[in-house]
Amino acid sequence: MTAARSLRAGLVGLGSMGRHHARVLSGLEGVDFVGVVDPMGDKFGAAQGAPILDTVQELIALGVDYAVVACPTAMHEEVGLQLAEAGVCALIEKPVAATVEGARRLVEAFESRGLVAGVGHIERFNPALRSLRARLEAGELGDVYQVVTRRQGPFPHRIADVGVVKDLATHDIDLTGWVTGREYVSIAAHTVSKSGREHEDMVSAVGRLDDGTMVNHLVNWLSPLKERFTSVTGERGCFIADTLTADLTFHSNAAMTTEWEALQAFRGVSEGDMIRYAIQKREPLLVEHELFRDAVLGRHADICTLRQGTRTVEVAAAVLESALDGSTVALDRDSCGAV
C-alpha cells in the first residue's frame, strides 16, 4: 500500500503568534513545513529551517496545500484572498478580518471555490472549555442562565493595529457562542481608552443569546493581574473554567428545604459540593493544527469555520457601535456568520 503523501503547509507572518505556529507546523505529523513569508526575515530563528520568503506568491509557487495566516489583522483579507484565488486552503488567525465586509469577502472567496478555511480561535481547543462544552451538551447543568467571562492583563506591546475588542474580546465572543451552541441577538457595551493609544483598552459588555441566556464580558489591557475566567451558571449549579491553567470546576446546587413560609415561594439555591475535574491537558495550538490538517484531508473535524469567525467579527463590531453611541445593538440572526 502506498503511504499517503504529506500535506505541504506554509506560514505567513513570524510575529509572536506566528513563531508558535512555526514550532507546531515543524513537528506536525503528516505535514511538511515548506516555507514562511515575512519581509522582516527570521529575527528570532523561529522558522525551524523552513525558507524565508518575501511574498505570498512565492509561497504559493512552492505548491502548498494550505497556509496559516498569522500576519497583522489588517492584512488578513488581502493575504486570504490571494490564497483563495490560488486554490490554497487557509487557517487564518483571529479575528478573521479587520471589518465585517472583509470577513464576508473571505467567506465568499473560499466557499465559492470549495476550499477548507478556518479561523484560529484557540480557546475552542483549551481542554477546560472543551470539557465544559461536552458537559453542557450532555445536559449536566440543565437550563443555562448566564455566561460570564473576564479576560484582563497588561498591554501586549506586539498589538498595534486594533483595540482590546477585536484582539481580546473576540476570544470571549467566540467561546461563548461555541460553548453554549447559541447565537448573540443583542449587545450593549462601554469602552475606555486610558493608555494613550488611539484604540480602546477596556470594555464591559452585556449581551443576550437567542435562548435568553445573559452574557457578561469584562476585557482589558489595564490590569497587572492576568485573568482568563469563564463561568456558566444554570439550574444545577455553576461551571468555572480557568483557561490559563486549563482547570474546570463545578459548584453544585444543594437540595435544601426551608421551613420559613415566607421564603418557600422563592426558588433560590444553596451551596453544594465542588468538583475539580481531572482533564487531559494537551496544548491547544497543537490540537487546533491537528484538526485543521484533518479538515484539509477531508475528514470530519471540529474547526472554527470562516462563517463562525465572521459572526464573531459582527458581534465585535456591534460592541464598538454600542460603545460609540450608547445604544443596545440588535444582531441579525440571518447574517453571513450564522451557524
Side-chain angles (χ1 to χ4, degrees), residues 269-312:
V269 299
S270 58
E271 184 178 7
D273 295 329
M274 185 189 80
I275 302 169
R276 178 179 175 275
Y277 297 104
I279 303 171
Q280 183 182 19
K281 296 181 179 181
R282 302 185 68 223
E283 182 186 1
L285 189 62
L286 175 58
V287 176
E288 178 181 74
H289 272 276
E290 289 174 344
L291 289 173
F292 189 76
R293 172 204 61 199
D294 291 349
V296 173
L297 289 170
R299 302 169 186 164
H300 174 72
D302 183 19
I303 66 171
C304 178
T305 67
L306 285 192
R307 283 182 172 268
Q308 292 166 348
T310 295
R311 182 57 169 179
T312 295

Side-chain angles (χ1 to χ4, degrees), residues 129-185:
L129 292 178
R130 292 182 75 81
S131 179
L132 170 55
R133 184 188 189 221
R135 294 176 184 280
L136 291 180
E137 288 179 338
E140 292 184 20
L141 196 59
D143 288 341
V144 175
Y145 302 152
Q146 182 185 47
V147 179
V148 175
T149 71
R150 297 195 302 271
R151 184 174 300 267
Q152 51 188 348
F155 173 67
H157 294 285
R158 62 184 174 81
I159 302 298
D161 58 341
V162 295
V164 75
V165 170
K166 290 183 179 179
D167 183 67
L168 281 192
T170 47
H171 280 301
D172 294 312
I173 292 166
D174 180 75
L175 76 84
T176 297
W178 178 74
V179 162
T180 61
R182 313 306 307 192
E183 287 277 342
Y184 284 79
V185 294

Side-chain angles (χ1 to χ4, degrees), residues 31-58:
V31 171
D32 291 332
F33 183 31
V34 300
V36 181
V37 178
D38 197 317
M40 301 296 292
D42 187 8
K43 296 184 293 184
F44 299 95
Q48 308 291 325
I52 306 299
L53 311 169
D54 290 327
T55 68
V56 174
Q57 291 304 320
E58 291 177 74

